[in-house]
Amino acid sequence: MASVIYLTDTRFGQRAWEHPSARHRCYHYADALLAGGVQSVVMPMDRISVKKLANFDHVIFHRPTYNKRFIHALNCCRQASVRVHADYDDLIFRAQYAQYSPLYINGNRSLEKVADHFDENLRAAQCFDNFITSTTFLKKQLQEVFPSAQVTVLPNSLPRVFQARVFQASVFQSSVIAGKQESMLTLGYFPGSSGHGEDFKSIYSTLSQVLKDNVRLLIVGRMNAGDYRGLPNVFHVPFTGYSSYLKLLSKVDVSIAPLINTIFNQSKSAVKLIESVAVGTPIVASYNADMHDHHNTMSTLVGAGTDWSQALLQALTATQNGQDACRMSETINELGSRYAVSSRLPLLKAHLGCVDLN
């Protein structure tokens, strides 16, 4: 029976589940494989050893960068004769695009340091022949660098234990927007990291017009308070667990996912759209290829020439007027099934090329 180890190297160490990318790219799929009878585990890169690899056939490196931990882990894999793969969900391996990285755009690192980091990621990528990406656009970027590589697109998905009806039926008790009037509408912004400051600023003027006495904005996730300073009716929850995050997402009227138009953001996945519509919350999001691939009746994509103000007002108005509950329930259930990790798992199995995974 083939088996898989996911190796993470995040700042969270053994708590890598708290890293959104590791959660979607490693834990969701490892859990789905395990539920299907395939031995699978997620492990911090610095804990790997030849002995631990003895019972595994595949190792998937999550966003590898060339450092001492990576070198040690790769040497262990070679000694154990396991097949290695690299998984990417961001454009972080082409130094010529460092200027579009959120690390640089948001002022967290100098352009030189970002470019150096991307070069180290590329150096690590050169150690692989097999790649997994979260989007088709990102696959094309990899193939430009490694034309002969095997690259599989494995979209982000909902976790195996996800059940939309749990979130639809839950009672919202958060003190953040508790006690709101029936006429009050709530927009939700759920940045997965602190690297979305410029994305949020791109719709700041729109929000300043939309946020009125009857419209609020709930921000859940790490974000600089200066990015929303001056906006009325803003409530910020800096951090919450994944389950609480999904419950909050299910209770806002409309969620938003703005992205400035850069090649980095064109490579990003539609995970925010997937999660939002699956818990029954309509979303207004900036257009990119993966957003387009996941577009549905509960999503509105804002592209070039499309007005964010109009899109938000239309979405809020539709919510305020109410919708056919039966139709919405059917739509939510269908989307939940479409974006479930089980629906993506055959892609991973095909990539691994192990018939005994079936």
Side-chain angles (χ1 to χ4, degrees), residues 18 65 90 108 151 197 252:
E18 296 178 17
T65 190
D90 275 324
N108 296 324
V151 186
V252 301

Side-chain angles (χ1 to χ4, degrees), residues 242-346:
Y242 187 56
S243 179
S244 297
Y245 150 72
L246 289 176
K247 288 179 180 178
L248 286 170
L249 178 57
S250 74
K251 292 303 173 182
V252 301
D253 296 294
V254 176
S255 70
I256 58 175
L259 294 171
I260 57 177
N261 186 19
T262 67
I263 193 167
F264 184 93
N265 282 342
Q266 290 170 27
S267 303
K268 292 190 72 64
S269 82
V271 65
K272 293 301 177 185
L273 182 155
I274 291 168
E275 292 174 333
S276 186
V277 300
V279 298
T281 299
I283 184 171
V284 179
S286 296
Y287 178 96
N288 74 7
D290 204 52
M291 292 286 189
H292 174 75
D293 289 345
H294 291 84
H295 183 46
N296 55 76
T297 58
M298 292 180 63
S299 62
T300 301
L301 301 185
V302 181
T306 306
D307 184 70
W308 258 93
S309 296
Q310 183 180 10
L312 282 179
L313 289 173
Q314 287 178 346
L316 287 169
T317 299
T319 298
Q320 192 171 34
N321 291 340
Q323 302 191 32
D324 184 339
C326 292
R327 180 185 64 80
M328 286 291 290
S329 178
E330 291 175 359
T331 299
I332 294 166
N333 291 332
E334 189 276 327
L335 292 175
S337 298
R338 186 193 307 176
Y339 304 145
V341 67
S342 58
S343 71
R344 322 285 205 189
L345 207 53

Side-chain angles (χ1 to χ4, degrees), residues 177 180-188 210-218 232-235 251-255 312-322:
I177 53 175
K180 73 173 186 177
Q181 300 175 357
E182 289 299 320
S183 60
M184 180 67 72
L185 296 172
T186 304
L187 290 174
V210 172
L211 296 177
K212 305 294 183 182
D213 292 339
N214 68 325
V215 181
R216 299 179 178 184
L217 174 64
L218 173 64
N233 300 335
V234 176
F235 301 83
K251 292 303 173 182
V252 301
D253 296 294
V254 176
S255 70
L312 282 179
L313 289 173
Q314 287 178 346
L316 287 169
T317 299
T319 298
Q320 192 171 34
N321 291 340

Side-chain angles (χ1 to χ4, degrees), residues 186-206:
T186 304
L187 290 174
Y189 180 52
F190 297 78
S193 69
S194 59
H196 290 283
E198 292 303 312
D199 295 322
F200 183 82
K201 290 177 185 177
S202 70
I203 63 167
Y204 183 96
S205 60
T206 294

